[in-house]
Amino acid sequence: MKFTLSWLGEHLDTSATVAEVVDAMTMAGLEVEHVEDPGARLSDFSVARIVEAVQHPNADRLRVCQVDTVEGRKEIVCGAPNARAGLTTIYAPIGACIPANGVVLEARPVRGVVSNGMLCSAAELQTAEESDGILELDGGLAVGTHAAKALGLEAVIDFEVTPNRPDWLGVDGIARDLAATGLGTLRTPAVTPVPGAFPCPVQIRLDDSGACPAFAGRLIRGVRNGPSPDWLQQKLKSIGLRPISALVDITNLITFDRARPLHVYDAGRLTGGWIEARLGRQGETVEALDGKTYAAGPEICVIGDVSGALGLGGVMGGASTGCSETTTDVFIESAWFDPIRIAQAGRTLGISSDAQYRFARGVDPEGLLPGLELATRLILDICGGEASEAVLAGQAPTRPAPFPFDRTYVQSLSGLSLDRARIDAILSDLGFTLEGETVAPPSWRRDVEGRADLVEEVARIAGYDALPSTPLPPVAIPPGGVLTVRQGRMRIARRALAAAGFAEAVTWSFMKRATAERFGGGAPELVLSNPIAADLDCMRPSILPNLIEAVGRNARRGYPDAALFEIGPIYRGDQPGDQSAVIAAVVSPHPSRRWDGRDDDALFALKGDLEALLGEISAPPLQTVQGASSSWWSPGRSARLQLGPKTVIAEFGEIHPVVLKAMDVDGPVLGFEIHLDLLPEPKRRDVKTRPAFQPLVLMPLSRDFAFLLPEATPAGDLVRPILAADKALVAEARIFDIYQGPGVPEGFKSVAVEVRVQPRDQTLTEADIEALSDRIVAAAGKATGARLRG
């Protein structure tokens, strides 16, 4: 919705500037989107007068002008054919930027004569699409007058109208709210009825569908249609409307001035002596004023006569009865259409006209006859003619019902301390009717349904900046902190994974059902009945599929080595409420140069990230079991971390190539998933002082052991007993090779382990090392049945 300050002044007696109006609108809840101020755009331009214009000595089509400007007399070269002595026009000084082309003026010679500025045309100032020469202004304008003032250009305020406030779609509605804020005095001119000179010869009919409950109209004969007067054209141009003809421009003016859409028919093209508002018929079409033909089916309201449908009711008129320069008799339509039906018609037909936009939000039903009378008066004043009596068919909706309102509710709901007189004055200024403890909304405020709505009206007019600022009462922080253990673990996990080089992703909580079934989900109870997209129809049983698809998208866009993580819920039960929290991460390492495509370093690096993360979130010691329990992991390239023999806390490894192929993602992709809800809370420990740091001054040493281990025993089971053989000396144990083949007995495998020994107090002798080695071998044999390979 757009309007100018002078247009607002026709309804509001105020001396406020544009900035003050914008500020008052913002505080009253009107969201100003943009203010187009030509005064700022033309700040360097001013009125000038040509004193002398002579032929350029070196060019036939140029003139050298002596011009009186705000900066004194200037010599300017001008190529306009109308440049002559005595002409008053617009001057642009050196350094000004021409709006039409963005050129910044410089003092440079033109065919040997330096031009000290420029005399401008309307097209160069963007006040007209084209022009034949420089502007010719009223000779009474003083030299130095600002260009915007001389050209009658005003700032245009553009603001967003919320769907519940159709009264803001008219300048009078904006003025009413601004008057209530105290910015000025409301002075919307009253509409004086025009007496009819003869009975209306056009009968109005309505069907029983309720699409058009009320229809008012009248005939005006003997009109002269043509261009509208300058003041009307300028007003429409200021808000971006194109003047068409006097009759059409009058209806557009009332649409934006009073939020009352109207339509005028060429009465000479109506047939049958009557006009009807009804629903369309199967196969019926209407050629609208925009030149397009629309299907007017049984759900669309049309205006018709004996010949058929003439226009789309409340949306757009038809070409068959449009007014032209030859029109002498017109029929004015002022109707009220069902907002829901008009909104649906706009979506069905793909039309969003000014009329449809207003009728879909609910036009003031009590503006039927006033709008008709105002249009009649303007047509008679501008186009002449003689008006018939006004005719009203049907009945417009009544005003909203009154309801009780206790003024003390304003303070209890908003905190504003206002006396009764101030509250009543605000509501009265907004058009509400007050009778004791009862308040009746005006006809244009059908969105007000209860006392909370009235409190909102009072609060926005009193000013949201007046709302008291009352701090909440202090609440003691629980000794254990405000976060639960799970929330704390989530926060720590985010930081730890980000520090490890992963980027956090936030994906949908649902996915394609086929993908969900591939990852252990897809139960019928978890399928969405109204999904936002066809491929997002099932609650996710795992976060991994969404992250894998994100990795694939990154790879297709030239980023093949993505590392992503997400922390959130999954749904693996039979009901939407059966959810659990998980931490999931995936990596897509660079393509390997190995002939078999495997990259063991990346897999072990992922395992290291997983173990580091579990340590950060205070997970208890977990047992590593080779092979994952879920089918989407690659056999031999995955493992699971268990708490006890049954509780699987995490799974990690390489995603199965079959799964990646089904998801159209190039591998390899590695990942892990931690089930947070299965992690027990860490035991509370008494805070102890950390011991003093003791630097290690002795060099570590390493010893390699080759154990024969039963084939069914996981190789990882060797690490824990080796570390426990001597906790003071054994610092690390790492498996670096597993072998089966010649030289290894049937049913066994050779597992090579590197043990790093860190002396503490003294350098170890050969005997000390041998004794430690014996303890390591004995501990491994006792725990796993392993023995040294001979």
Side-chain angles (χ1 to χ4, degrees):
M1 176 63 188
K2 297 180 180 180
F3 67 95
T4 61
L5 196 58
S6 64
W7 196 338
L8 178 68
E10 296 177 7
H11 299 272
L12 185 70
D13 186 6
T14 180
S15 59
T17 63
V18 171
E20 291 170 339
V21 170
V22 169
D23 183 63
M25 290 175 65
T26 302
M27 296 310 299
L30 288 84
E31 182 182 350
V32 177
E33 289 190 333
H34 177 65
V35 177
E36 182 180 352
D37 188 359
R41 177 165 48 90
L42 302 178
S43 59
D44 294 331
F45 298 77
S46 59
V47 172
R49 185 171 290 109
I50 301 176
V51 177
E52 180 185 69
V54 299
Q55 184 69 40
H56 193 291
N58 301 319
D60 295 338
R61 296 185 180 182
L62 298 179
R63 291 178 177 271
V64 179
C65 302
Q66 302 300 320
V67 183
D68 284 345
T69 72
V70 68
E71 300 170 342
R73 184 158 295 184
K74 300 283 187 178
E75 186 173 67
I76 299 175
V77 177
C78 181
N82 61 333
R84 63 184 182 274
L87 179 66
T88 301
T89 186
I90 297 297
Y91 158 73
I94 298 300
C97 178
I98 305 302
N101 51 30
V103 172
V104 177
L105 297 182
E106 299 178 0
R108 60 175 58 183
V110 179
R111 293 290 185 93
V113 178
V114 175
S115 182
N116 297 289
M118 178 177 176
L119 302 180
C120 303
S121 67
E124 289 163 340
L125 297 180
Q126 292 186 326
T127 60
E129 294 184 1
E130 57 183 21
S131 54
D132 295 331
I134 58 177
L135 281 164
E136 297 190 25
L137 304 179
D138 183 1
L141 288 171
V143 171
T145 302
H146 194 284
K149 182 179 179 180
L151 297 172
L153 302 178
E154 291 187 87
V156 178
I157 300 172
D158 186 6
F159 71 99
E160 182 69 24
V161 179
T162 55
N164 67 317
R165 293 304 304 272
D167 57 308
W168 283 347
L169 291 168
V171 179
D172 66 329
I174 304 166
R176 185 186 303 111
D177 275 27
L178 292 178
T181 65
L183 194 69
T185 303
L186 187 65
R187 63 174 185 187
T188 297
V191 178
T192 304
V194 176
F198 57 93
C200 181
V202 180
Q203 181 187 3
I204 300 175
R205 300 179 182 179
L206 303 176
D207 68 359
D208 57 358
S209 66
C212 180
F215 190 130
R218 77 186 329 160
L219 181 78
I220 303 179
R221 62 191 181 192
V223 301
R224 297 180 305 277
N225 191 23
S228 54
D230 290 341
W231 67 266
L232 179 51
Q233 292 193 34
Q234 186 59 39
K235 184 172 290 188
L236 296 179
K237 288 179 180 179
S238 68
I239 60 173
L241 295 182
R242 179 176 61 88
I244 299 174
S245 68
L247 292 173
V248 176
D249 292 351
I250 288 170
T251 61
N252 285 336
L253 172 68
I254 298 174
T255 296
F256 283 85
D257 189 73
R258 304 295 177 97
R260 162 40 62 184
L262 303 167
H263 186 63
V264 287
Y265 299 84
D266 187 332
R269 300 182 180 184
L270 297 176
T271 58
W274 54 266
I275 193 168
E276 179 184 24
R278 59 172 173 81
L279 293 180
R281 302 187 179 104
Q282 195 67 39
E284 198 167 31
T285 61
V286 173
E287 182 183 355
L289 289 172
D290 62 358
K292 300 179 181 178
T293 300
Y294 298 93
E299 298 300 322
I300 306 296
C301 179
V302 300
I303 308 298
D305 62 3
V306 171
S307 64
L310 304 175
L312 304 168
V315 179
M316 187 175 292
S320 63
T321 55
C323 295
S324 65
E325 293 182 357
T326 62
T327 298
T328 57
D329 297 342
V330 296
F331 180 79
I332 310 174
E333 168 202 303
S334 179
W336 195 90
F337 298 94
D338 176 32
I340 301 300
R341 192 176 293 276
I342 295 301
Q344 291 173 342
R347 288 192 291 268
T348 301
L349 301 173
I351 301 177
S352 180
S353 63
D354 291 329
Q356 188 272 342
Y357 189 79
R358 285 161 174 78
F359 280 123
R361 283 155 176 75
V363 172
D364 181 8
E366 293 187 5
L368 277 172
L369 290 176
L372 179 64
E373 298 289 356
L374 182 57
T376 302
R377 173 54 59 193
L378 288 170
I379 291 175
L380 294 178
D381 291 345
I382 297 174
C383 302
E386 186 180 30
S388 75
E389 297 173 351
V391 180
L392 173 63
Q395 184 177 359
T398 58
R399 287 193 175 197
F403 51 85
F405 178 55
D406 183 2
R407 275 61 168 183
T408 60
Y409 192 59
V410 172
Q411 183 168 8
S412 62
L413 187 62
S414 69
L416 288 170
S417 180
L418 302 175
D419 56 32
R420 182 187 180 99
R422 174 60 175 149
I423 295 172
D424 289 356
I426 291 175
L427 295 177
S428 179
D429 290 343
L430 292 175
F432 292 86
T433 303
L434 292 80
E435 295 182 2
E437 301 301 316
T438 302
V439 176
S443 59
W444 59 82
R445 291 303 307 275
R446 309 187 75 82
D447 61 305
V448 177
E449 299 176 346
R451 57 179 186 167
D453 296 325
L454 295 178
V455 173
E456 181 181 0
E457 294 300 302
V458 172
R460 71 181 183 86
I461 297 301
Y464 290 127
D465 56 343
L467 293 173
S469 177
T470 304
L472 293 173
V475 178
I477 299 176
V482 295
L483 298 180
T484 64
V485 173
R486 189 178 73 169
Q487 290 171 334
R489 282 172 165 166
M490 288 180 176
R491 175 179 289 186
I492 294 171
R494 282 190 175 91
R495 295 177 178 176
L497 287 170
F502 289 81
E504 184 174 9
V506 180
T507 66
W508 296 109
S509 292
F510 18 83
M511 60 181 57
K512 186 186 299 184
R513 187 177 184 182
T515 304
E517 291 173 345
R518 192 172 293 114
F519 281 78
E525 294 82 3
L526 298 181
V527 177
L528 304 177
S529 59
N530 186 26
I532 63 173
D535 56 349
L536 297 173
D537 59 347
C538 186
M539 305 302 290
R540 64 184 183 188
S542 170
I543 298 180
L544 289 173
N546 289 343
L547 294 180
I548 293 170
E549 290 179 346
V551 164
R553 287 193 297 271
N554 276 273
R556 288 190 291 271
R557 288 164 173 78
Y559 298 94
D561 56 345
L564 307 174
F565 80 93
E566 183 176 357
I567 303 175
I570 62 172
Y571 307 86
R572 286 193 174 175
D574 294 332
Q575 299 297 327
D578 298 336
Q579 65 181 54
S580 58
V582 299
I583 304 172
V586 297
V587 296
S588 177
H590 285 293
S592 174
R593 293 172 62 89
R594 292 170 52 112
W595 66 271
D596 58 1
R598 292 177 52 176
D599 191 347
D600 294 326
D601 290 341
L603 183 57
F604 282 109
L606 178 74
K607 179 185 177 185
D609 291 336
L610 173 60
E611 292 176 341
L613 175 60
L614 290 170
E616 290 286 344
I617 61 177
S618 302
L622 302 175
Q623 179 183 2
T624 302
V625 180
Q626 187 173 359
S629 57
S630 302
S631 60
W632 51 87
W633 302 102
S634 292
R637 301 277 293 162
S638 58
R640 61 187 185 272
L641 301 178
Q642 295 186 177
L643 184 64
K646 296 182 179 180
T647 305
V648 178
I649 299 297
E651 292 180 306
F652 70 95
E654 183 177 311
I655 304 298
H656 202 292
V658 174
V659 174
L660 295 179
K661 184 178 181 181
M663 299 178 69
D664 193 24
V665 176
D666 294 332
V669 176
L670 315 176
F672 65 76
E673 196 166 42
I674 304 172
H675 298 275
L676 274 176
D677 294 339
L678 299 180
L679 280 175
E681 295 188 7
K683 296 180 180 179
R684 293 195 175 188
R685 301 176 180 176
D686 296 334
V687 179
K688 297 181 179 179
T689 303
R690 179 178 296 181
F693 173 69
Q694 295 182 351
L696 300 174
V697 297
L698 300 177
M699 292 293 294
L701 57 98
S702 63
R703 286 291 184 270
D704 294 343
F705 297 85
F707 291 100
L708 288 176
L709 191 67
E711 185 178 1
T713 303
D717 290 356
L718 277 173
V719 174
R720 184 172 296 180
I722 292 175
L723 293 174
D726 193 322
K727 296 181 179 180
L729 292 177
V730 178
E732 182 183 4
R734 184 177 69 87
I735 297 172
F736 65 89
D737 185 57
I738 300 176
Y739 170 74
Q740 284 181 285
V744 176
E746 187 72 23
F748 286 85
K749 56 187 174 185
S750 174
V751 180
V753 183
E754 178 187 10
V755 178
R756 188 168 66 88
V757 180
Q758 176 62 61
R760 301 285 178 173
D761 302 325
Q762 59 184 10
T763 301
L764 298 180
T765 64
E766 194 64 33
D768 295 333
I769 296 173
E770 290 297 329
L772 176 60
S773 299
D774 293 341
R775 293 197 298 273
I776 289 173
V777 173
K782 182 178 179 181
T784 63
R787 67 178 187 271
L788 279 180
R789 179 181 174 186

